[in-house]
Amino acid sequence: MIRVQSPANIAFLKYWGQRDAALTLPCNDSFSMNLSQCYTTVALVPDDDPSVQTLEITEYQKNSPRPATEDERARVVQFHQTVVQFLQISEDNHRGFRITSANSFPQKAGIASSASFFSAMAMAFARLYHADLDEQRLSRLARLSGSGSASRSVPDGFVWWQHGTGDEDSFATSIASPDFWDLRDIVVLVHDGEKKVSSTQGHHAAQTSPFFQQRIDTLLSRAAAMKQAFLDRDFEQFGMMVEQEMVQFHSIMMTQQPPLWYWTEETLRVIKHIHQLREDGLMAYVTLDAGAHLHVICQAADVEQLVQKVSAIAGVRGVIVNQPTIGTRVRDDRA
Ligand code: DP6
């Protein structure tokens, strides 16, 4: 059996918009942190019969697995096809697989569960064919799953995905190890009334926003400034840029066609609360992906106080405190 564990990640600089959908090539660089308490573990049992292709999912806090839906299974079967092409495995040598996947966090909660799942699957499928891919190739392969942010779950700690010139050089690398900076991400789960639109559909429509080109034109200089603030461990400067980036990213989503509005009343309430806490001297900044739930970024020393304050806000259903962590690993290799 092959067992792989991989973290979800939170993007400080967001990936939004693709320049090549088939190859999942992004329009811009992105930057994220791996999340210690939000991860997927996959167990893959090889089968000599290539027609055996099963997937079971053990959902968060459930004891027994359920069979995957046909859509979920189809994406995995399709990804297997991508992997055999990538590894140039001839059809005679294709293998079958029985996969069980389990999440340490609620699925479809606006935390990147497809990033943790597909990065884990990239390594599990590579191992199925005894391919020991280096990190860059593994990150590329994870990207080709179609869940581009999966490329950022592969390397350790704080991770930069360079958009690259093409398939070969669009991969993610670590720019700092998990212990570089004691940042925390408090995932704040709020009531989520919206019907989900997949990120894939969202990426396709990003360029219809009248502000999209302006975002791309200014991204390089903003990315450089954010990276510098990060490397200087300048929390106020860094946090401010992370929050500005989030607002810009949501403005793009709100103005693309069809528009995507993910903020709920509760989202806004938490954001305003964090702003008030900052005015009162408690430093924390907010970012959100394509969902209503929030990620409160803070320093380790403030985490307890923030958890207490945020948990008391009306509409908050729960919190998950994360620290930076390593990337995709065969389970037994994890420290
Ligand atoms: C908003 O296409 O990687 O999270 O739907 O999880 O496959 P999945 O997402 P993906 O897009 C991620 C978009 C984002 C921003 C980011 O993580 O950079």
Side-chain angles (χ1 to χ4, degrees):
M1 188 196 290
I2 302 159
R3 273 157 64 85
V4 179
Q5 188 171 309
S6 192
N9 63 72
I10 178 62
F12 299 132
L13 188 65
K14 309 291 185 187
Y15 148 49
W16 197 244
Q18 295 167 336
R19 63 184 206 278
D20 184 325
L23 291 173
T24 321
L25 293 175
C27 292
N28 60 277
D29 283 15
S30 55
F31 171 41
S32 59
M33 174 181 113
N34 288 336
L35 304 181
S36 63
Q37 302 309 311
C38 299
Y39 54 86
T40 300
T41 308
V42 301
L44 185 156
V45 179
D47 199 296
D48 289 336
D49 176 356
S51 70
V52 173
Q53 297 182 318
T54 66
L55 171 64
E56 290 191 322
I57 298 173
T58 305
E59 288 189 356
Y60 177 60
Q61 291 180 335
K62 296 266 165 66
N63 293 325
S64 51
R66 62 161 174 87
T69 64
E70 207 29 64
D71 283 358
E72 288 166 337
R73 202 185 73 88
R75 252 197 100 180
V76 167
V77 169
Q78 193 188 349
F79 185 44
H80 174 257
Q81 207 48 43
T82 303
V83 174
V84 289
Q85 273 167 20
F86 187 86
L87 299 175
Q88 299 182 320
I89 308 288
S90 65
E91 197 152 348
D92 301 348
N93 292 316
H94 287 191
R95 307 194 69 194
F97 50 82
R98 295 173 199 277
I99 297 161
T100 321
S101 153
N103 274 346
S104 73
F105 59 104
Q107 229 173 318
K108 299 192 177 117
I111 313 162
S113 57
S114 47
S116 52
F117 176 73
F118 279 105
S119 49
M121 282 311 308
M123 185 177 264
F125 276 149
R127 293 286 165 126
L128 176 64
Y129 292 102
H130 306 288
D132 193 10
L133 299 182
D134 64 26
E135 189 179 276
Q136 292 184 358
R137 291 193 76 208
L138 192 63
S139 174
R140 266 176 68 202
L141 183 57
R143 190 199 84 230
L144 288 167
S145 69
S147 176
S149 54
S151 66
R152 294 193 312 246
S153 288
V154 172
D156 288 353
F158 297 92
V159 178
W160 200 276
W161 174 13
Q162 57 182 33
H163 67 291
T165 57
D167 173 40
E168 303 251 323
D169 62 353
S170 186
F171 52 75
T173 47
S174 177
I175 61 163
S177 62
D179 58 6
F180 174 76
W181 197 2
D182 244 0
L183 289 185
R184 295 291 180 269
D185 171 11
I186 308 173
V187 175
V188 181
L189 302 169
V190 293
H191 177 69
D192 180 10
E194 296 272 318
K195 191 171 175 291
K196 283 267 174 307
V197 176
S198 77
S199 295
T200 310
Q201 285 168 271
H203 285 297
H204 294 167
Q207 302 189 26
T208 61
S209 164
F211 307 118
F212 185 77
Q213 195 50 46
Q214 197 254 355
R215 168 174 170 76
I216 296 301
D217 293 344
T218 57
L219 207 122
L220 265 186
S221 61
R222 286 192 306 114
M226 187 190 282
K227 190 177 194 174
Q228 195 54 54
F230 171 78
L231 293 174
D232 293 343
R233 297 189 191 89
D234 181 340
F235 186 64
E236 288 195 36
Q237 188 67 11
F238 178 68
M240 198 185 67
M241 287 178 181
V242 167
E243 205 168 285
Q244 279 171 352
E245 160 65 358
M246 176 279 285
V247 174
Q248 195 195 80
F249 157 64
H250 278 263
S251 311
I252 300 284
M253 288 201 292
M254 289 170 182
T255 51
Q256 63 186 55
Q257 294 302 326
L260 294 177
W261 282 72
Y262 285 106
W263 294 15
T264 63
E265 243 178 278
E266 288 79 8
T267 311
L268 198 54
R269 194 179 302 137
V270 175
I271 293 175
K272 292 200 159 181
H273 200 96
I274 295 294
H275 289 177
Q276 184 59 51
L277 291 177
R278 279 214 300 269
E279 277 184 28
D280 299 343
L282 184 56
M283 288 302 140
Y285 297 86
V286 179
T287 187
L288 284 85
D289 281 343
H293 309 287
L294 304 98
H295 296 253
V296 174
I297 309 299
C298 66
Q299 299 178 97
D302 297 326
V303 82
E304 260 175 53
Q305 208 183 341
L306 277 160
V307 163
Q308 211 180 12
K309 290 193 186 295
V310 166
S311 303
I313 302 173
V316 170
R317 291 193 285 121
V319 298
I320 307 171
V321 178
N322 294 278
Q323 59 187 62
T325 191
I326 56 173
T328 312
R329 291 283 197 286
V330 167
R331 179 68 197 260
D332 307 329
D333 294 350
R334 288 189 83 88

